């Protein structure tokens, strides 16, 4: 009989803190709230009519506060720019309506324009009982609606003053100090994120760096020259081609501008589009029945001879046109669309700061925020430290990695999270007998002898690394990169089979560049149409192949063919080796914002043996932006069956690492997904009930650690791999910890945040922290410890691969290719 779905009433409480590892101290980007408001806080709902943007809402609200101090009982309430207002004492009335007038900006000299009128309605919704928050922080009460509202009030309190000065996006504000130009008329602005976070016995403010793109302000001609990649605005004199017209119009539509051709009167407009005709041919009615072109009008009316008569006009209202050269882009406009590849790279370089620089910049942010002198914080009785908090951390011991016993060095204990394959053979080497090479370049671009030289080095490296390659001279095929990729791959598949007289195992594809289109087609066709593993390599690596590059390719090929690269000695993963245990990593990836017709992809990766090195994957397309894994029960069932078929035993316990869940969705996801995992077990056998542990893994957070002394710092300036923090900045009483498991390369490392929501396996802090850290050393694709537990990392790879398995049909429909059965049990996604 099927068991009824059970209800989760609370998450796992912290089973004490960890003791394992060497104790160190780290600086964090959290500041302590030294004193908290003592009186309850009143929450009011605010409605401002007519509806206007947030920035103007704040101006209206501030004017309303200035003019109505008597009704507000001499308080300075705070406001989120939308509908929430908080006051530290009750106002005269629980519901009131006020009229507010705001003078028009940019009125011409000598003229008057009536002020704009707004109505502000406020209505009290609740009294926030702060005692409940204190109970929660001291582990004597649960997270209630009152606690949520109190934390929200603090978030608005710390951002209220700064939001009136700087452009603000949700919890971040941005400044153009030190802005860096991106290509195409955009610039990257440095920002600061701040958020109130609870920890044991107190509140903290998390302050971090943030970056976003803004349109460059200044002459519109300058921006357009940059959009088109021209060297200077002089290149605009020749006018636009059809392609230029489309590109510019698409980019500047809805941009806010000011005109600059009248003294003392600079009006604001929003661009609706571009005229099809140039300035000198764009006619309009003067109002007396006669027509005139825009160029002549500006010459006659303003004595201004236009420099760019061949450019179109911007359309700002119906039948209202302005020459591009009389328009200036208004500052502080955020760019909301997707950046191109080059802009993204520039943005990443701007955002990437080494730990020392990042810590200094965060301190600069604390100085700009200047909590100490904030009069709103003072009114509410809240004091915040201007210093970054120092907390206790531990550096966990490094595990021992096992390679094949015939290796000259068959056991390795890495230093600083990295090692190499020298003198090591993979734990289980696959045999590669039936394969072919498919080069998407012609003989002139890449001669046969260069390819053969690469194949010799590759085969020797694979052999040295423990793989078996009986066929070292696979057939080489050549195809056009913009031809029919499916035909090309099928030909290469047939050549491989005919040459080796055996089922083809691999097609090694040589690509001319890093373009995504050809790569996506190869993966879609290889994995969902033909059912053969593919390995892509860039043509730039062919001449003088590097041993390290060949070794990295070898690691990927070995697991795609069912081999195993390395594993941990059993005493470092006792939870997995003492009893048949399946590790499952789960991830859901969503389509980009605005693409409402595309699905989300849910992936699970499950370990297949007692060494937790081999994984099988299962994937589903589901409704776009739906967070819960819809078909989880069937997906888990597939993995449990695969585990049984591989090991001959059922898993005696399940450790489920779930990625991509925000705090607000914890309960919803946990409730649904635990029941789905249970249902999967019972569908296989009514009495099969292995204990389950459910851990959420988060990388999208703003906690960062900075080492305080040299001996606890790696080469990149980051904390050492294995740095774990479970006190000082973690949840007041639930079981969570931060683990930085990887060695830094560039910028400041981001620790992973692990939060245990459900646990039937009786983990303590040390056992789960150590297991999670040690697993990060058996990621198949490289000889480095990684930043996330491998099952979750693999689930990421699978959801990314699934996006490539989509094919857009003529007429807009999309079909989703299913991975062929023969690849589902190997790590085709590596």
């Amino acid at each position: 009989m099927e068991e009824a779905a059970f209800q989760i009433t609370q998450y796992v409480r912290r089973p004490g803190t960890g003791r394992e590892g060497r104790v160190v101290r780290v600086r964090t980007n959290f500041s302590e709230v030294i004193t908290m408001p003592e009186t309850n806080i009143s929450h009011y709902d605010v409605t401002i009519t007519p509806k206007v943007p947030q920035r103007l809402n704040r101006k209206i609200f501030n004017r309303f506060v200035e003019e109505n101090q008597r009704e507000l009982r001499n308080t300075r309430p705070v406001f989120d720019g939308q509908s929430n207002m908080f006051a530290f004492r009750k106002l005269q009335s629980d519901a009131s309506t006020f009229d507010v007038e705001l003078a028009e900006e940019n009125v011409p000299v000598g003229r008057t324009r009536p002020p704009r009128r707004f109505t502000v309605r406020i209505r009290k919704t609740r009294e926030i009982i702060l005692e409940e928050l204190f109970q929660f922080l001291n582990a004597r009460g649960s997270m209630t609606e009152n606690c949520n509202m109190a934390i929200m009030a603090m978030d608005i309190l710390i951002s209220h003053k700064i939001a009136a000065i700087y452009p603000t996006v949700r919890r971040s504000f941005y400044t153009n100090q030190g802005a860096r130009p991106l290509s195409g008329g955009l610039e990257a602005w440095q920002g600061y994120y701040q958020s109130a976070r609870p920890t044991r016995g107190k509140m903290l403010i998390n302050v971090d760096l943030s970056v976003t793109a803004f349109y460059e302000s200044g002459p519109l001609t300058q921006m357009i020259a940059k959009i088109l990649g021209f060297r200077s605005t002089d290149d605009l004199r020749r006018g636009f081609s059809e392609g230029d017209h489309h590109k510019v119009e698409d980019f500047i539509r809805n941009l806010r501008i000011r005109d600059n051709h009248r003294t003392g009167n600079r009006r604001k407009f929003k661009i609706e589009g571009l005229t099809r005709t140039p300035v000198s041919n764009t006619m309009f009615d003067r109002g007396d029945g006669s027509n005139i072109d825009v160029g002549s009008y500006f010459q006659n009316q303003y004595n201004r001879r236009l420099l760019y008569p061949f450019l179109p006009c911007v359309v700002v209202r119906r039948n209202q046109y302005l020459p591009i050269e009389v328009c200036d882009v208004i500052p502080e406009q955020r760019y909301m669309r997707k950046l191109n590849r080059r802009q993204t790279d520039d943005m990443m370089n701007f955002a990437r700061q080494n730990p020392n620089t990042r810590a200094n910049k965060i301190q600069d942010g604390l100085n700009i925020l200047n909590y100490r002198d904030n009069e709103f914080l003072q009114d509410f009785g809240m004091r915040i430290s201007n210093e970054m908090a120092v907390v206790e951390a531990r550096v966990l011991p490094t595990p021992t990695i096992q390679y094949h016993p015939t290796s000259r060095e068959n056991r390795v204990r890495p230093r600083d999270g990295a090692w190499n394959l020298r003198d090591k053979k993979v734990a289980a080497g696959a045999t590669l007998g039936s394969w072919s090479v498919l080069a998407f370049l012609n003989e002139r671009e890449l001669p046969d002898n260069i390819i053969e030289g690469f194949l010799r080095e590759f085969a020797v490296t694979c052999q040295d690394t423990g793989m078996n390659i009986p066929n070292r001279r696979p057939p080489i095929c050549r195809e056009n990169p913009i031809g029919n990729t499916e035909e090309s791959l099928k030909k290469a598949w047939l050549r491989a089979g005919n040459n080796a007289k055996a089922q083809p195992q691999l097609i090694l594809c040589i690509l001319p560049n890093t373009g995504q289109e050809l790569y996506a087609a190869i993966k879609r066709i290889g994995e969902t149409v033909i059912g053969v593993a593919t390995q892509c390599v860039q043509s730039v690596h062919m001449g003088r192949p590097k041993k390290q590059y060949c070794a990295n390719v070898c690691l990927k090929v070995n697991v795609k063919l069912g081999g195993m690269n390395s594993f941990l000695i059993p005493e470092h993963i006792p939870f997995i080796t003492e009893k048949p245990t399946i590790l499952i990593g789960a991830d859901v990836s969503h389509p980009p914002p605005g693409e409402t017709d595309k699905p989300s992809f849910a992936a699970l990766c499950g370990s297949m043996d007692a060494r937790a090195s081999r994984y099988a994957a299962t994937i589903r397309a589901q409704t776009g932006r739906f967070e819960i894994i819809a078909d989880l029960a069937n997906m888990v069932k597939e993995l449990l069956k695969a585990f049984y078929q591989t090991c001959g035993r059922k898993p005696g316990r399940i450790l489920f690492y779930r990625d991509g869940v925000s705090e607000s969705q914890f309960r919803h996801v946990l409730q649904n997904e635990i029941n789905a995992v249970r249902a999967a077990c019972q569908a296989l056998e009514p009495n099969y009930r292995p204990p389950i542990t459910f851990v959420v893994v988060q990388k999208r957070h703003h906690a960062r650690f900075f080492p305080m002394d040299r001996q606890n710092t790696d080469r990149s300036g980051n904390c050492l791999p294995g740095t774990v923090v479970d006190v000082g900045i973690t949840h007041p009483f639930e079981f969570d910890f931060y683990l930085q498991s990887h060695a830094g390369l560039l910028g400041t490392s981001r620790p992973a945040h692990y939060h245990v929501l459900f646990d039937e396996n009786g983990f303590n802090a040390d056992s789960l922290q150590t297991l999670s850290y040690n697993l990060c050393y058996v990621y198949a694709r490289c000889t480095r410890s990684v930043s996330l537990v491998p099952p979750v990392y693999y689930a990421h790879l699978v959801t990314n691969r699934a996006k490539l398995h989509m094919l857009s049909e003529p007429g807009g429909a999309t079909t989703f290719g299913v991975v062929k059965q023969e690849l589902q049990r190997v790590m085709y996604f590596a």
Side-chain angles (χ1 to χ4, degrees):
M1 193 183 88
E2 193 172 301
E3 185 184 310
F6 78 123
Q7 292 295 311
I8 290 159
T9 50
Q10 64 175 41
Y11 305 137
V12 186
R13 289 179 84 90
R14 191 184 303 285
T17 53
R19 299 277 176 86
E20 191 78 35
R22 183 167 53 81
V23 175
V24 297
R25 288 163 72 71
V26 295
R27 185 169 274 110
T28 67
N29 57 340
F30 290 82
S31 291
E32 189 180 334
V33 178
I34 302 161
T35 55
M36 296 270 283
E38 289 182 356
T39 55
N40 289 340
I41 295 172
S42 301
H43 175 247
Y44 293 81
D45 190 62
V46 178
T47 312
I48 296 176
T49 47
K51 237 179 166 178
V52 289
Q54 272 199 41
R55 200 94 191 260
L56 190 50
N57 261 351
R58 291 184 191 279
K59 284 185 181 173
I60 297 160
F61 181 83
N62 289 343
R63 175 60 54 86
F64 146 71
V65 171
E66 277 169 33
E67 292 175 351
N68 295 283
Q69 275 299 293
R70 217 178 103 251
E71 286 80 355
L72 296 173
R73 295 181 62 205
N74 294 322
T75 65
R76 276 182 289 222
V78 293
F79 176 55
D80 69 351
Q82 291 174 303
S83 59
N84 294 293
M85 174 180 114
F86 295 92
F88 60 87
R89 63 167 77 113
K90 286 182 189 171
L91 308 184
Q92 295 277 35
S93 146
D94 283 353
S96 311
T97 302
F98 303 88
D99 290 322
V100 174
E101 290 188 347
L102 219 54
E104 281 280 6
E105 290 181 6
N106 306 310
V107 178
V109 178
R111 288 199 210 168
T112 57
R113 205 179 278 171
R116 291 178 74 180
R117 298 190 151 206
F118 298 91
T119 304
V120 178
R121 288 187 182 83
I122 63 169
R123 180 179 59 82
K124 185 170 180 187
T125 61
R126 70 189 302 147
E127 190 84 358
I128 300 167
I129 316 294
L130 285 181
E131 182 52 36
E132 281 188 28
L133 177 63
F134 296 131
Q135 294 285 346
F136 168 71
L137 295 176
N138 290 297
R140 291 197 292 271
S142 57
M143 172 60 104
T144 62
E145 187 56 22
N146 256 321
C147 297
N148 265 324
M149 290 297 288
I151 293 169
M152 177 185 170
M154 285 183 197
D155 274 331
I156 291 162
L157 182 50
I158 58 180
S159 61
H160 176 82
K161 183 178 180 180
I162 211 84
I165 307 166
Y166 296 99
T168 304
V169 183
R170 292 183 291 279
R171 288 177 167 161
S172 297
F173 69 92
Y174 295 91
T175 161
N176 62 358
Q177 267 183 308
R180 182 181 297 177
L182 302 171
S183 57
L186 302 178
E187 53 189 15
W189 284 29
Q190 179 78 69
Y192 296 93
Y193 164 94
Q194 47 171 357
S195 165
R197 305 282 306 164
T199 190
R200 186 59 178 260
K202 60 190 169 202
M203 289 295 297
L204 301 168
I205 307 298
N206 182 200
V207 177
D208 194 22
L209 299 189
S210 169
V211 296
T212 197
F214 281 80
Y215 292 94
E216 276 188 14
S217 58
L220 184 58
T221 47
Q222 215 166 296
M223 174 183 276
I224 289 172
K226 288 179 179 177
I227 294 166
L228 297 174
F230 291 166
R231 296 179 79 163
S232 81
T233 50
D234 288 346
D235 294 339
L236 295 172
R237 291 179 189 277
R238 60 174 182 257
F240 283 172
S241 67
E242 185 61 36
D244 292 344
H245 189 285
H246 176 75
K247 190 175 182 181
V248 170
E249 184 171 49
D250 183 56
F251 188 88
I252 67 173
R253 189 177 276 121
N254 294 325
L255 196 62
R256 288 182 296 120
I257 53 160
R258 266 196 185 102
D259 59 22
N260 63 23
H261 59 287
R262 313 167 193 230
T263 48
N265 175 23
R266 304 199 59 197
R267 294 171 305 166
K268 291 181 184 176
F269 299 98
K270 189 185 265 191
I271 297 176
E272 292 181 4
L274 292 175
T275 56
R276 299 298 309 170
T277 48
V279 170
S280 49
N281 291 358
T282 303
M283 313 296 287
F284 68 96
D285 185 345
R286 305 179 76 157
D288 58 3
S290 66
N291 284 349
I292 187 171
D293 70 87
V294 172
S296 303
Y297 175 79
F298 270 79
Q299 178 74 60
N300 299 347
Q301 189 75 15
Y302 302 109
N303 193 25
R304 179 154 176 176
R305 189 170 149 271
L306 297 177
L307 298 171
Y308 305 98
F310 300 119
L311 289 184
C313 295
V314 295
V315 182
V316 289
R317 290 190 191 125
R318 196 166 164 215
N319 296 333
Q320 194 167 348
Y321 314 116
L322 288 172
I324 287 173
E325 63 197 86
V326 305
C327 302
D328 290 332
V329 179
I330 292 173
E332 298 185 356
Q333 294 184 74
R334 185 168 166 242
Y335 183 72
M336 304 291 281
R337 294 189 236 175
K338 196 175 176 184
L339 298 174
N340 65 31
R341 184 84 175 262
R342 185 177 159 197
Q343 290 165 339
T344 304
D345 289 347
D346 289 347
M347 183 73 111
M348 295 288 282
N349 289 333
F350 178 68
R352 198 179 285 128
Q353 312 277 350
N354 69 44
N356 209 13
T357 308
R358 192 182 190 97
N360 291 338
K361 286 202 168 183
I362 290 169
Q363 194 59 60
D364 293 345
L366 287 168
N367 296 339
I368 294 172
L369 286 162
N370 191 11
Y371 294 130
R372 203 170 291 139
D373 298 331
N374 183 319
E375 62 276 24
F376 296 95
L377 289 171
Q378 289 165 3
D379 285 354
F380 277 77
M382 191 164 153
R383 271 174 59 234
I384 302 169
S385 164
N386 272 13
E387 301 300 315
M388 292 161 73
V390 173
V391 299
E392 186 179 281
R394 287 168 292 114
V395 180
L396 298 176
T398 306
T400 300
I401 302 161
Q402 177 81 51
Y403 283 92
H404 196 276
T406 62
S407 310
R408 277 175 65 187
E409 190 186 353
N410 62 24
R411 282 191 168 198
V412 57
R413 193 157 198 177
R415 287 195 53 172
D416 297 336
W419 63 103
N420 60 43
L421 279 176
R422 201 177 302 121
D423 298 332
K424 299 171 196 71
K425 290 186 174 181
V426 291
T431 296
L432 177 56
S434 179
W435 60 308
S436 63
V437 175
L438 174 53
F440 288 94
L441 301 98
N442 61 36
E443 171 84 36
R444 188 174 46 78
E445 294 167 318
L446 186 66
D448 273 5
N449 64 325
I450 300 282
I451 296 176
E452 286 160 1
F454 174 80
L455 292 175
R456 273 194 301 275
E457 184 61 47
F458 176 63
V460 167
T461 307
C462 287
Q463 203 79 33
D464 291 349
T465 312
M467 280 182 70
N468 179 25
I469 306 203
N471 174 12
R472 298 197 177 198
R473 300 196 63 181
I476 297 170
C477 319
R478 292 182 183 275
E479 295 291 343
N480 187 338
I482 53 172
N484 184 327
T485 311
E486 187 166 331
E487 287 302 311
S488 305
L489 282 160
K490 283 179 174 171
K491 279 186 204 168
W493 185 81
L494 283 169
R495 288 278 304 273
N498 291 338
N499 180 267
K501 306 286 185 286
Q503 177 76 8
Q505 295 169 279
L506 179 79
I507 302 172
L508 184 79
C509 299
I510 304 172
L511 309 190
N513 53 44
T514 55
Q516 187 71 0
E517 235 168 273
L518 178 58
Y519 176 81
I522 290 167
K523 293 302 175 187
R524 182 182 60 78
I525 295 156
E527 289 156 9
T528 71
V529 178
I530 300 173
V532 67
T534 54
Q535 179 58 54
C536 293
V537 290
Q538 293 295 322
S539 58
V540 294
H541 297 293
M542 294 295 107
R544 296 201 197 140
K546 290 195 174 82
K547 199 99 183 142
Q548 181 65 56
Y549 179 77
C550 291
N552 287 346
V553 174
C554 165
L555 288 176
K556 288 157 72 86
V557 168
N558 191 43
V559 294
K560 286 177 183 180
L561 301 181
M564 182 199 302
N565 291 343
S566 63
F567 58 94
L568 295 170
I569 62 171
E571 51 266 41
H572 284 160
I573 44 168
F575 180 75
I576 296 163
T577 51
E578 285 167 1
K579 190 176 183 182
T581 299
I582 188 167
L583 305 178
I584 298 178
D587 185 32
V588 179
S589 77
H590 301 297
E595 295 188 14
T596 48
D597 54 335
K598 291 200 172 158
S600 288
F601 290 103
L604 295 193
C605 283
S607 61
M608 290 292 114
D609 55 33
R611 291 170 168 174
S613 266
R614 285 190 176 114
Y615 283 79
T618 173
I619 179 107
R620 298 288 189 278
Q622 60 183 43
T623 309
R625 312 216 75 76
F626 186 63
E627 186 48 63
I628 287 168
I629 300 174
D631 197 28
L632 183 62
N634 285 322
M635 294 169 81
V636 170
K637 203 156 69 174
E638 280 175 35
L639 293 180
L640 293 173
K641 280 181 178 172
F643 186 96
Y644 182 72
Q645 285 158 6
T646 308
C647 299
R649 300 173 73 182
K650 296 196 297 271
R653 44 196 179 195
I654 297 173
L655 173 51
F656 195 98
Y657 286 105
R658 174 68 155 93
D659 191 24
V661 185
S662 61
E663 284 170 32
S664 59
Q665 295 171 315
F666 276 8
R667 189 168 299 281
H668 197 40
V669 168
L670 179 67
Q671 191 71 61
N672 280 275
E673 295 187 1
I674 286 282
N675 282 322
V677 175
R678 288 233 166 131
C681 297
Q682 289 186 315
L684 293 173
E685 235 174 65
N687 295 327
Y688 178 43
R689 261 204 64 171
I692 301 164
T693 298
F694 192 101
V695 185
V696 169
V697 189
Q698 293 168 308
K699 280 294 292 272
R700 287 185 182 169
H701 59 76
H702 286 270
R704 299 290 183 275
F705 304 145
F706 305 96
M708 294 186 69
D709 45 49
R710 185 150 280 166
Q711 73 260 33
N712 296 315
T713 308
D714 73 7
R715 270 182 289 187
S716 66
N718 282 286
C719 292
L720 295 171
T723 299
V724 67
V725 173
D726 62 0
V727 293
I729 58 169
T730 47
H731 192 280
F733 52 82
E734 287 171 12
F735 187 4
D736 72 326
F737 57 91
Y738 291 93
L739 171 63
Q740 189 184 302
S741 49
H742 61 302
L745 283 170
L746 294 167
T748 304
S749 298
R750 185 193 309 228
H753 182 228
Y754 294 82
H755 199 134
V756 186
L757 300 189
F758 184 78
D759 179 31
E760 293 178 320
N761 285 299
F763 276 105
N764 64 27
D766 280 329
S767 59
L768 187 62
Q769 288 167 11
T770 305
L771 172 64
S772 301
Y773 176 50
N774 291 349
L775 286 170
C776 293
Y777 281 81
V778 279
Y779 179 62
R781 287 170 34 140
C782 60
T783 53
R784 300 180 70 84
S785 61
V786 289
S787 61
L788 280 172
V789 284
V792 165
Y793 217 132
Y794 294 143
H796 272 312
L797 296 181
V798 175
T799 57
N800 287 338
R801 186 61 63 82
K803 291 172 192 170
L804 309 183
H805 292 166
M806 271 198 314
L807 182 64
S808 296
E809 303 280 2
T814 52
T815 54
F816 173 55
V818 177
V819 175
K820 291 286 179 185
Q821 194 65 44
E822 51 269 40
L823 290 181
Q824 284 184 12
R825 297 288 167 84
V826 294
M827 294 164 72
Y828 68 88
F829 47 82

